[in-house]
Amino acid sequence: MNLVNRKDDHDFLDKHRLSQKNKFIICLLFIGILVLVLFFGNLNTAPGIIIGSIMAVVTLLMPLIFGYTGLMVTLIYSIIGITAPFRFGIIQGDPYYFAIAVFILANFLGSAIIAIEVERNKKTQKVLENLSVTDGLTEIYNHRYFQQRLDEEIARATRANRTLVLCMIDIDNFKMYNDSYGHYFGDEILRKTAGLIQNTTRKSDIACRYGGDEFAVILPDSSVEEVHFVMERLKEAFYSLRFSFPDCHVTRTLTLSVGFSIFPDLAENKDQLITQADAALYQAKYQGRNTIQLYKN
């Protein structure tokens, strides 16, 4: 998942936000055109004006609701709507019909502005949604999304009568490297580890940063053998990573420890699943690190 820079988000919003002044000008434009239609028209055309105004509102609502798709509908209506009054204006020489044509054209321009604004707001909303569930450093899912997604996957596993595995992953000796070389190099370790976890796990798995140097991976409908296969592949890939440090005075090697538990075989609910996976991780640490441990009572 690519994370859009927060500063770019603010620049995007400032650049594309429709100002209050422009909104006021657009309102005056439509009111002015409507006054012209009423001024050049006759009293017996009032029903037609009312119907036309209702249609104008509908054509404005189409792009507001459906974006560019609604704008295409408005375009077709505008082409049809402009043709008749423009032809009558030429034949009869009545400026009233020209005013109607101008009103329909202005209405379409307003619809186009609305459609553009709606589509830009959709893009902005998507960016903000990605930011809300993405870890700013590692660019994988954050702890908030982990909690939300774990609830969903447990509910799905319960309905389908299937298993759900939660793996907790910790970088061995990370604190030693972070303290020795500084946070810049520590952040680099976290970024590379997160990218590796995301690239080596399966498409159906959900990789998240749980906090600090600890990561969580949700594996739907997985057996113990499958979990060991995926995590062993991850450990081997991590061991092959090359980090550039200023010197080599730290003697201990960076490795990964993994602990996991299974719902509903071992854990009965979400809280138990997290607690057991975390306990299994500490068991892996206690056994000498760089190991994969299934939760044991």
Side-chain angles (χ1 to χ4, degrees), residues 53-77:
S53 299
I54 294 174
M55 291 300 298
V57 172
V58 171
T59 55
L60 288 174
L61 288 176
M62 290 296 292
L64 180 64
I65 299 173
F66 301 107
Y68 288 145
T69 303
L71 181 63
M72 293 304 297
V73 176
T74 301
L75 175 62
I76 295 172
Y77 163 77

mmCIF file with all atom_site columns, all heavy atoms in Angstrom, residues 53-77:
data_model
loop_
_atom_site.group_PDB
_atom_site.id
_atom_site.type_symbol
_atom_site.label_atom_id
_atom_site.label_alt_id
_atom_site.label_comp_id
_atom_site.label_asym_id
_atom_site.label_entity_id
_atom_site.label_seq_id
_atom_site.pdbx_PDB_ins_code
_atom_site.Cartn_x
_atom_site.Cartn_y
_atom_site.Cartn_z
_atom_site.occupancy
_atom_site.B_iso_or_equiv
_atom_site.pdbx_formal_charge
_atom_site.auth_seq_id
_atom_site.auth_comp_id
_atom_site.auth_asym_id
_atom_site.auth_atom_id
_atom_site.pdbx_PDB_model_num
ATOM 1   N N   . SER A 1 53 ? -37.617 24.684 -14.248 1.00 0.00 ? 53 SER A N   1
ATOM 2   C CA  . SER A 1 53 ? -36.808 24.871 -13.037 1.00 0.00 ? 53 SER A CA  1
ATOM 3   C C   . SER A 1 53 ? -36.643 23.556 -12.280 1.00 0.00 ? 53 SER A C   1
ATOM 4   O O   . SER A 1 53 ? -35.564 23.260 -11.758 1.00 0.00 ? 53 SER A O   1
ATOM 5   C CB  . SER A 1 53 ? -37.469 25.922 -12.136 1.00 0.00 ? 53 SER A CB  1
ATOM 6   O OG  . SER A 1 53 ? -37.560 27.163 -12.793 1.00 0.00 ? 53 SER A OG  1
ATOM 7   N N   . ILE A 1 54 ? -37.722 22.765 -12.246 1.00 0.00 ? 54 ILE A N   1
ATOM 8   C CA  . ILE A 1 54 ? -37.637 21.456 -11.582 1.00 0.00 ? 54 ILE A CA  1
ATOM 9   C C   . ILE A 1 54 ? -36.631 20.558 -12.308 1.00 0.00 ? 54 ILE A C   1
ATOM 10  O O   . ILE A 1 54 ? -35.801 19.878 -11.688 1.00 0.00 ? 54 ILE A O   1
ATOM 11  C CB  . ILE A 1 54 ? -39.022 20.780 -11.536 1.00 0.00 ? 54 ILE A CB  1
ATOM 12  C CG1 . ILE A 1 54 ? -39.957 21.587 -10.623 1.00 0.00 ? 54 ILE A CG1 1
ATOM 13  C CG2 . ILE A 1 54 ? -38.904 19.341 -11.036 1.00 0.00 ? 54 ILE A CG2 1
ATOM 14  C CD1 . ILE A 1 54 ? -41.393 21.074 -10.622 1.00 0.00 ? 54 ILE A CD1 1
ATOM 15  N N   . MET A 1 55 ? -36.677 20.580 -13.645 1.00 0.00 ? 55 MET A N   1
ATOM 16  C CA  . MET A 1 55 ? -35.737 19.788 -14.420 1.00 0.00 ? 55 MET A CA  1
ATOM 17  C C   . MET A 1 55 ? -34.309 20.266 -14.212 1.00 0.00 ? 55 MET A C   1
ATOM 18  O O   . MET A 1 55 ? -33.365 19.473 -14.181 1.00 0.00 ? 55 MET A O   1
ATOM 19  C CB  . MET A 1 55 ? -36.100 19.861 -15.910 1.00 0.00 ? 55 MET A CB  1
ATOM 20  C CG  . MET A 1 55 ? -37.395 19.160 -16.266 1.00 0.00 ? 55 MET A CG  1
ATOM 21  S SD  . MET A 1 55 ? -37.354 17.390 -15.851 1.00 0.00 ? 55 MET A SD  1
ATOM 22  C CE  . MET A 1 55 ? -36.021 16.835 -16.905 1.00 0.00 ? 55 MET A CE  1
ATOM 23  N N   . ALA A 1 56 ? -34.156 21.588 -14.044 1.00 0.00 ? 56 ALA A N   1
ATOM 24  C CA  . ALA A 1 56 ? -32.821 22.128 -13.797 1.00 0.00 ? 56 ALA A CA  1
ATOM 25  C C   . ALA A 1 56 ? -32.262 21.609 -12.477 1.00 0.00 ? 56 ALA A C   1
ATOM 26  O O   . ALA A 1 56 ? -31.080 21.263 -12.371 1.00 0.00 ? 56 ALA A O   1
ATOM 27  C CB  . ALA A 1 56 ? -32.868 23.653 -13.799 1.00 0.00 ? 56 ALA A CB  1
ATOM 28  N N   . VAL A 1 57 ? -33.119 21.561 -11.459 1.00 0.00 ? 57 VAL A N   1
ATOM 29  C CA  . VAL A 1 57 ? -32.689 21.042 -10.158 1.00 0.00 ? 57 VAL A CA  1
ATOM 30  C C   . VAL A 1 57 ? -32.310 19.567 -10.274 1.00 0.00 ? 57 VAL A C   1
ATOM 31  O O   . VAL A 1 57 ? -31.304 19.116 -9.712  1.00 0.00 ? 57 VAL A O   1
ATOM 32  C CB  . VAL A 1 57 ? -33.799 21.235 -9.112  1.00 0.00 ? 57 VAL A CB  1
ATOM 33  C CG1 . VAL A 1 57 ? -33.430 20.525 -7.808  1.00 0.00 ? 57 VAL A CG1 1
ATOM 34  C CG2 . VAL A 1 57 ? -34.029 22.715 -8.847  1.00 0.00 ? 57 VAL A CG2 1
ATOM 35  N N   . VAL A 1 58 ? -33.105 18.815 -11.029 1.00 0.00 ? 58 VAL A N   1
ATOM 36  C CA  . VAL A 1 58 ? -32.818 17.382 -11.208 1.00 0.00 ? 58 VAL A CA  1
ATOM 37  C C   . VAL A 1 58 ? -31.467 17.189 -11.889 1.00 0.00 ? 58 VAL A C   1
ATOM 38  O O   . VAL A 1 58 ? -30.669 16.326 -11.488 1.00 0.00 ? 58 VAL A O   1
ATOM 39  C CB  . VAL A 1 58 ? -33.941 16.715 -12.031 1.00 0.00 ? 58 VAL A CB  1
ATOM 40  C CG1 . VAL A 1 58 ? -33.550 15.280 -12.401 1.00 0.00 ? 58 VAL A CG1 1
ATOM 41  C CG2 . VAL A 1 58 ? -35.241 16.717 -11.253 1.00 0.00 ? 58 VAL A CG2 1
ATOM 42  N N   . THR A 1 59 ? -31.198 17.983 -12.919 1.00 0.00 ? 59 THR A N   1
ATOM 43  C CA  . THR A 1 59 ? -29.933 17.842 -13.633 1.00 0.00 ? 59 THR A CA  1
ATOM 44  C C   . THR A 1 59 ? -28.749 18.250 -12.774 1.00 0.00 ? 59 THR A C   1
ATOM 45  O O   . THR A 1 59 ? -27.621 17.813 -13.003 1.00 0.00 ? 59 THR A O   1
ATOM 46  C CB  . THR A 1 59 ? -29.935 18.675 -14.924 1.00 0.00 ? 59 THR A CB  1
ATOM 47  O OG1 . THR A 1 59 ? -30.245 20.040 -14.602 1.00 0.00 ? 59 THR A OG1 1
ATOM 48  C CG2 . THR A 1 59 ? -30.958 18.141 -15.904 1.00 0.00 ? 59 THR A CG2 1
ATOM 49  N N   . LEU A 1 60 ? -28.976 19.109 -11.787 1.00 0.00 ? 60 LEU A N   1
ATOM 50  C CA  . LEU A 1 60 ? -27.910 19.454 -10.849 1.00 0.00 ? 60 LEU A CA  1
ATOM 51  C C   . LEU A 1 60 ? -27.690 18.344 -9.829  1.00 0.00 ? 60 LEU A C   1
ATOM 52  O O   . LEU A 1 60 ? -26.572 18.112 -9.371  1.00 0.00 ? 60 LEU A O   1
ATOM 53  C CB  . LEU A 1 60 ? -28.244 20.771 -10.132 1.00 0.00 ? 60 LEU A CB  1
ATOM 54  C CG  . LEU A 1 60 ? -28.150 22.048 -10.971 1.00 0.00 ? 60 LEU A CG  1
ATOM 55  C CD1 . LEU A 1 60 ? -28.651 23.233 -10.159 1.00 0.00 ? 60 LEU A CD1 1
ATOM 56  C CD2 . LEU A 1 60 ? -26.721 22.300 -11.426 1.00 0.00 ? 60 LEU A CD2 1
ATOM 57  N N   . LEU A 1 61 ? -28.782 17.659 -9.473  1.00 0.00 ? 61 LEU A N   1
ATOM 58  C CA  . LEU A 1 61 ? -28.676 16.574 -8.500  1.00 0.00 ? 61 LEU A CA  1
ATOM 59  C C   . LEU A 1 61 ? -27.989 15.345 -9.093  1.00 0.00 ? 61 LEU A C   1
ATOM 60  O O   . LEU A 1 61 ? -27.334 14.592 -8.367  1.00 0.00 ? 61 LEU A O   1
ATOM 61  C CB  . LEU A 1 61 ? -30.065 16.186 -7.989  1.00 0.00 ? 61 LEU A CB  1
ATOM 62  C CG  . LEU A 1 61 ? -30.745 17.184 -7.051  1.00 0.00 ? 61 LEU A CG  1
ATOM 63  C CD1 . LEU A 1 61 ? -32.158 16.701 -6.706  1.00 0.00 ? 61 LEU A CD1 1
ATOM 64  C CD2 . LEU A 1 61 ? -29.922 17.366 -5.772  1.00 0.00 ? 61 LEU A CD2 1
ATOM 65  N N   . MET A 1 62 ? -28.134 15.128 -10.393 1.00 0.00 ? 62 MET A N   1
ATOM 66  C CA  . MET A 1 62 ? -27.534 13.946 -11.028 1.00 0.00 ? 62 MET A CA  1
ATOM 67  C C   . MET A 1 62 ? -26.018 13.894 -10.828 1.00 0.00 ? 62 MET A C   1
ATOM 68  O O   . MET A 1 62 ? -25.485 12.891 -10.351 1.00 0.00 ? 62 MET A O   1
ATOM 69  C CB  . MET A 1 62 ? -27.892 13.914 -12.520 1.00 0.00 ? 62 MET A CB  1
ATOM 70  C CG  . MET A 1 62 ? -29.357 13.603 -12.791 1.00 0.00 ? 62 MET A CG  1
ATOM 71  S SD  . MET A 1 62 ? -29.817 11.935 -12.230 1.00 0.00 ? 62 MET A SD  1
ATOM 72  C CE  . MET A 1 62 ? -28.890 10.947 -13.391 1.00 0.00 ? 62 MET A CE  1
ATOM 73  N N   . PRO A 1 63 ? -25.270 14.931 -11.177 1.00 0.00 ? 63 PRO A N   1
ATOM 74  C CA  . PRO A 1 63 ? -23.823 14.873 -10.925 1.00 0.00 ? 63 PRO A CA  1
ATOM 75  C C   . PRO A 1 63 ? -23.473 14.923 -9.440  1.00 0.00 ? 63 PRO A C   1
ATOM 76  O O   . PRO A 1 63 ? -22.425 14.419 -9.031  1.00 0.00 ? 63 PRO A O   1
ATOM 77  C CB  . PRO A 1 63 ? -23.281 16.112 -11.653 1.00 0.00 ? 63 PRO A CB  1
ATOM 78  C CG  . PRO A 1 63 ? -24.434 17.048 -11.742 1.00 0.00 ? 63 PRO A CG  1
ATOM 79  C CD  . PRO A 1 63 ? -25.643 16.170 -11.894 1.00 0.00 ? 63 PRO A CD  1
ATOM 80  N N   . LEU A 1 64 ? -24.345 15.530 -8.639  1.00 0.00 ? 64 LEU A N   1
ATOM 81  C CA  . LEU A 1 64 ? -24.089 15.580 -7.209  1.00 0.00 ? 64 LEU A CA  1
ATOM 82  C C   . LEU A 1 64 ? -24.115 14.176 -6.608  1.00 0.00 ? 64 LEU A C   1
ATOM 83  O O   . LEU A 1 64 ? -23.336 13.846 -5.713  1.00 0.00 ? 64 LEU A O   1
ATOM 84  C CB  . LEU A 1 64 ? -25.126 16.471 -6.520  1.00 0.00 ? 64 LEU A CB  1
ATOM 85  C CG  . LEU A 1 64 ? -24.981 16.628 -4.998  1.00 0.00 ? 64 LEU A CG  1
ATOM 86  C CD1 . LEU A 1 64 ? -23.670 17.324 -4.659  1.00 0.00 ? 64 LEU A CD1 1
ATOM 87  C CD2 . LEU A 1 64 ? -26.160 17.408 -4.436  1.00 0.00 ? 64 LEU A CD2 1
ATOM 88  N N   . ILE A 1 65 ? -25.010 13.325 -7.125  1.00 0.00 ? 65 ILE A N   1
ATOM 89  C CA  . ILE A 1 65 ? -25.157 11.972 -6.600  1.00 0.00 ? 65 ILE A CA  1
ATOM 90  C C   . ILE A 1 65 ? -24.238 10.982 -7.311  1.00 0.00 ? 65 ILE A C   1
ATOM 91  O O   . ILE A 1 65 ? -23.602 10.133 -6.672  1.00 0.00 ? 65 ILE A O   1
ATOM 92  C CB  . ILE A 1 65 ? -26.620 11.513 -6.723  1.00 0.00 ? 65 ILE A CB  1
ATOM 93  C CG1 . ILE A 1 65 ? -27.530 12.435 -5.909  1.00 0.00 ? 65 ILE A CG1 1
ATOM 94  C CG2 . ILE A 1 65 ? -26.776 10.065 -6.255  1.00 0.00 ? 65 ILE A CG2 1
ATOM 95  C CD1 . ILE A 1 65 ? -29.000 12.160 -6.101  1.00 0.00 ? 65 ILE A CD1 1
ATOM 96  N N   . PHE A 1 66 ? -24.141 11.109 -8.648  1.00 0.00 ? 66 PHE A N   1
ATOM 97  C CA  . PHE A 1 66 ? -23.446 10.093 -9.441  1.00 0.00 ? 66 PHE A CA  1
ATOM 98  C C   . PHE A 1 66 ? -22.129 10.572 -10.053 1.00 0.00 ? 66 PHE A C   1
ATOM 99  O O   . PHE A 1 66 ? -21.482 9.821  -10.783 1.00 0.00 ? 66 PHE A O   1
ATOM 100 C CB  . PHE A 1 66 ? -24.364 9.589  -10.554 1.00 0.00 ? 66 PHE A CB  1
ATOM 101 C CG  . PHE A 1 66 ? -25.641 8.997  -10.054 1.00 0.00 ? 66 PHE A CG  1
ATOM 102 C CD1 . PHE A 1 66 ? -26.840 9.677  -10.202 1.00 0.00 ? 66 PHE A CD1 1
ATOM 103 C CD2 . PHE A 1 66 ? -25.656 7.769  -9.420  1.00 0.00 ? 66 PHE A CD2 1
ATOM 104 C CE1 . PHE A 1 66 ? -28.030 9.141  -9.747  1.00 0.00 ? 66 PHE A CE1 1
ATOM 105 C CE2 . PHE A 1 66 ? -26.842 7.230  -8.947  1.00 0.00 ? 66 PHE A CE2 1
ATOM 106 C CZ  . PHE A 1 66 ? -28.034 7.910  -9.110  1.00 0.00 ? 66 PHE A CZ  1
ATOM 107 N N   . GLY A 1 67 ? -21.732 11.821 -9.805  1.00 0.00 ? 67 GLY A N   1
ATOM 108 C CA  . GLY A 1 67 ? -20.455 12.299 -10.323 1.00 0.00 ? 67 GLY A CA  1
ATOM 109 C C   . GLY A 1 67 ? -20.467 12.439 -11.833 1.00 0.00 ? 67 GLY A C   1
ATOM 110 O O   . GLY A 1 67 ? -21.421 12.954 -12.428 1.00 0.00 ? 67 GLY A O   1
ATOM 111 N N   . TYR A 1 68 ? -19.391 11.936 -12.481 1.00 0.00 ? 68 TYR A N   1
ATOM 112 C CA  . TYR A 1 68 ? -19.260 12.079 -13.926 1.00 0.00 ? 68 TYR A CA  1
ATOM 113 C C   . TYR A 1 68 ? -20.337 11.297 -14.683 1.00 0.00 ? 68 TYR A C   1
ATOM 114 O O   . TYR A 1 68 ? -20.746 11.700 -15.777 1.00 0.00 ? 68 TYR A O   1
ATOM 115 C CB  . TYR A 1 68 ? -17.874 11.605 -14.376 1.00 0.00 ? 68 TYR A CB  1
ATOM 116 C CG  . TYR A 1 68 ? -16.762 12.553 -13.985 1.00 0.00 ? 68 TYR A CG  1
ATOM 117 C CD1 . TYR A 1 68 ? -15.508 12.079 -13.625 1.00 0.00 ? 68 TYR A CD1 1
ATOM 118 C CD2 . TYR A 1 68 ? -16.968 13.928 -13.988 1.00 0.00 ? 68 TYR A CD2 1
ATOM 119 C CE1 . TYR A 1 68 ? -14.483 12.945 -13.270 1.00 0.00 ? 68 TYR A CE1 1
ATOM 120 C CE2 . TYR A 1 68 ? -15.956 14.810 -13.641 1.00 0.00 ? 68 TYR A CE2 1
ATOM 121 C CZ  . TYR A 1 68 ? -14.716 14.310 -13.277 1.00 0.00 ? 68 TYR A CZ  1
ATOM 122 O OH  . TYR A 1 68 ? -13.712 15.179 -12.925 1.00 0.00 ? 68 TYR A OH  1
ATOM 123 N N   . THR A 1 69 ? -20.798 10.187 -14.129 1.00 0.00 ? 69 THR A N   1
ATOM 124 C CA  . THR A 1 69 ? -21.878 9.435  -14.767 1.00 0.00 ? 69 THR A CA  1
ATOM 125 C C   . THR A 1 69 ? -23.148 10.274 -14.837 1.00 0.00 ? 69 THR A C   1
ATOM 126 O O   . THR A 1 69 ? -23.830 10.324 -15.864 1.00 0.00 ? 69 THR A O   1
ATOM 127 C CB  . THR A 1 69 ? -22.153 8.134  -14.002 1.00 0.00 ? 69 THR A CB  1
ATOM 128 O OG1 . THR A 1 69 ? -20.952 7.363  -13.919 1.00 0.00 ? 69 THR A OG1 1
ATOM 129 C CG2 . THR A 1 69 ? -23.232 7.322  -14.691 1.00 0.00 ? 69 THR A CG2 1
ATOM 130 N N   . GLY A 1 70 ? -23.481 10.940 -13.743 1.00 0.00 ? 70 GLY A N   1
ATOM 131 C CA  . GLY A 1 70 ? -24.643 11.823 -13.731 1.00 0.00 ? 70 GLY A CA  1
ATOM 132 C C   . GLY A 1 70 ? -24.467 13.006 -14.668 1.00 0.00 ? 70 GLY A C   1
ATOM 133 O O   . GLY A 1 70 ? -25.445 13.498 -15.257 1.00 0.00 ? 70 GLY A O   1
ATOM 134 N N   . LEU A 1 71 ? -23.238 13.478 -14.819 1.00 0.00 ? 71 LEU A N   1
ATOM 135 C CA  . LEU A 1 71 ? -22.972 14.600 -15.722 1.00 0.00 ? 71 LEU A CA  1
ATOM 136 C C   . LEU A 1 71 ? -23.268 14.220 -17.171 1.00 0.00 ? 71 LEU A C   1
ATOM 137 O O   . LEU A 1 71 ? -23.744 15.052 -17.951 1.00 0.00 ? 71 LEU A O   1
ATOM 138 C CB  . LEU A 1 71 ? -21.516 15.052 -15.586 1.00 0.00 ? 71 LEU A CB  1
ATOM 139 C CG  . LEU A 1 71 ? -21.099 16.245 -16.449 1.00 0.00 ? 71 LEU A CG  1
ATOM 140 C CD1 . LEU A 1 71 ? -21.895 17.488 -16.061 1.00 0.00 ? 71 LEU A CD1 1
ATOM 141 C CD2 . LEU A 1 71 ? -19.600 16.515 -16.309 1.00 0.00 ? 71 LEU A CD2 1
ATOM 142 N N   . MET A 1 72 ? -22.999 12.982 -17.547 1.00 0.00 ? 72 MET A N   1
ATOM 143 C CA  . MET A 1 72 ? -23.296 12.531 -18.909 1.00 0.00 ? 72 MET A CA  1
ATOM 144 C C   . MET A 1 72 ? -24.806 12.575 -19.172 1.00 0.00 ? 72 MET A C   1
ATOM 145 O O   . MET A 1 72 ? -25.241 12.950 -20.261 1.00 0.00 ? 72 MET A O   1
ATOM 146 C CB  . MET A 1 72 ? -22.765 11.110 -19.114 1.00 0.00 ? 72 MET A CB  1
ATOM 147 C CG  . MET A 1 72 ? -21.252 11.006 -19.084 1.00 0.00 ? 72 MET A CG  1
ATOM 148 S SD  . MET A 1 72 ? -20.464 12.093 -20.302 1.00 0.00 ? 72 MET A SD  1
ATOM 149 C CE  . MET A 1 72 ? -21.106 11.395 -21.814 1.00 0.00 ? 72 MET A CE  1
ATOM 150 N N   . VAL A 1 73 ? -25.589 12.193 -18.151 1.00 0.00 ? 73 VAL A N   1
ATOM 151 C CA  . VAL A 1 73 ? -27.048 12.271 -18.287 1.00 0.00 ? 73 VAL A CA  1
ATOM 152 C C   . VAL A 1 73 ? -27.472 13.728 -18.463 1.00 0.00 ? 73 VAL A C   1
ATOM 153 O O   . VAL A 1 73 ? -28.327 14.064 -19.296 1.00 0.00 ? 73 VAL A O   1
ATOM 154 C CB  . VAL A 1 73 ? -27.732 11.648 -17.056 1.00 0.00 ? 73 VAL A CB  1
ATOM 155 C CG1 . VAL A 1 73 ? -29.254 11.815 -17.147 1.00 0.00 ? 73 VAL A CG1 1
ATOM 156 C CG2 . VAL A 1 73 ? -27.372 10.175 -16.939 1.00 0.00 ? 73 VAL A CG2 1
ATOM 157 N N   . THR A 1 74 ? -26.881 14.611 -17.658 1.00 0.00 ? 74 THR A N   1
ATOM 158 C CA  . THR A 1 74 ? -27.186 16.040 -17.761 1.00 0.00 ? 74 THR A CA  1
ATOM 159 C C   . THR A 1 74 ? -26.800 16.598 -19.120 1.00 0.00 ? 74 THR A C   1
ATOM 160 O O   . THR A 1 74 ? -27.503 17.444 -19.686 1.00 0.00 ? 74 THR A O   1
ATOM 161 C CB  . THR A 1 74 ? -26.446 16.813 -16.656 1.00 0.00 ? 74 THR A CB  1
ATOM 162 O OG1 . THR A 1 74 ? -26.837 16.309 -15.384 1.00 0.00 ? 74 THR A OG1 1
ATOM 163 C CG2 . THR A 1 74 ? -26.755 18.296 -16.705 1.00 0.00 ? 74 THR A CG2 1
ATOM 164 N N   . LEU A 1 75 ? -25.686 16.122 -19.668 1.00 0.00 ? 75 LEU A N   1
ATOM 165 C CA  . LEU A 1 75 ? -25.239 16.581 -20.994 1.00 0.00 ? 75 LEU A CA  1
ATOM 166 C C   . LEU A 1 75 ? -26.263 16.222 -22.066 1.00 0.00 ? 75 LEU A C   1
ATOM 167 O O   . LEU A 1 75 ? -26.603 17.063 -22.917 1.00 0.00 ? 75 LEU A O   1
ATOM 168 C CB  . LEU A 1 75 ? -23.886 15.952 -21.322 1.00 0.00 ? 75 LEU A CB  1
ATOM 169 C CG  . LEU A 1 75 ? -23.343 16.236 -22.727 1.00 0.00 ? 75 LEU A CG  1
ATOM 170 C CD1 . LEU A 1 75 ? -23.121 17.733 -22.920 1.00 0.00 ? 75 LEU A CD1 1
ATOM 171 C CD2 . LEU A 1 75 ? -22.046 15.467 -22.964 1.00 0.00 ? 75 LEU A CD2 1
ATOM 172 N N   . ILE A 1 76 ? -26.740 14.980 -22.019 1.00 0.00 ? 76 ILE A N   1
ATOM 173 C CA  . ILE A 1 76 ? -27.743 14.554 -23.011 1.00 0.00 ? 76 ILE A CA  1
ATOM 174 C C   . ILE A 1 76 ? -29.008 15.408 -22.891 1.00 0.00 ? 76 ILE A C   1
ATOM 175 O O   . ILE A 1 76 ? -29.565 15.874 -23.897 1.00 0.00 ? 76 ILE A O   1
ATOM 176 C CB  . ILE A 1 76 ? -28.078 13.063 -22.808 1.00 0.00 ? 76 ILE A CB  1
ATOM 177 C CG1 . ILE A 1 76 ? -26.828 12.212 -23.108 1.00 0.00 ? 76 ILE A CG1 1
ATOM 178 C CG2 . ILE A 1 76 ? -29.233 12.649 -23.712 1.00 0.00 ? 76 ILE A CG2 1
ATOM 179 C CD1 . ILE A 1 76 ? -26.996 10.748 -22.763 1.00 0.00 ? 76 ILE A CD1 1
ATOM 180 N N   . TYR A 1 77 ? -29.457 15.620 -21.639 1.00 0.00 ? 77 TYR A N   1
ATOM 181 C CA  . TYR A 1 77 ? -30.645 16.440 -21.423 1.00 0.00 ? 77 TYR A CA  1
ATOM 182 C C   . TYR A 1 77 ? -30.420 17.868 -21.924 1.00 0.00 ? 77 TYR A C   1
ATOM 183 O O   . TYR A 1 77 ? -31.302 18.482 -22.542 1.00 0.00 ? 77 TYR A O   1
ATOM 184 C CB  . TYR A 1 77 ? -31.000 16.465 -19.943 1.00 0.00 ? 77 TYR A CB  1
ATOM 185 C CG  . TYR A 1 77 ? -31.937 17.588 -19.572 1.00 0.00 ? 77 TYR A CG  1
ATOM 186 C CD1 . TYR A 1 77 ? -33.297 17.522 -19.848 1.00 0.00 ? 77 TYR A CD1 1
ATOM 187 C CD2 . TYR A 1 77 ? -31.446 18.738 -18.951 1.00 0.00 ? 77 TYR A CD2 1
ATOM 188 C CE1 . TYR A 1 77 ? -34.145 18.554 -19.519 1.00 0.00 ? 77 TYR A CE1 1
ATOM 189 C CE2 . TYR A 1 77 ? -32.288 19.793 -18.617 1.00 0.00 ? 77 TYR A CE2 1
ATOM 190 C CZ  . TYR A 1 77 ? -33.635 19.692 -18.911 1.00 0.00 ? 77 TYR A CZ  1
ATOM 191 O OH  . TYR A 1 77 ? -34.464 20.727 -18.588 1.00 0.00 ? 77 TYR A OH  1
#
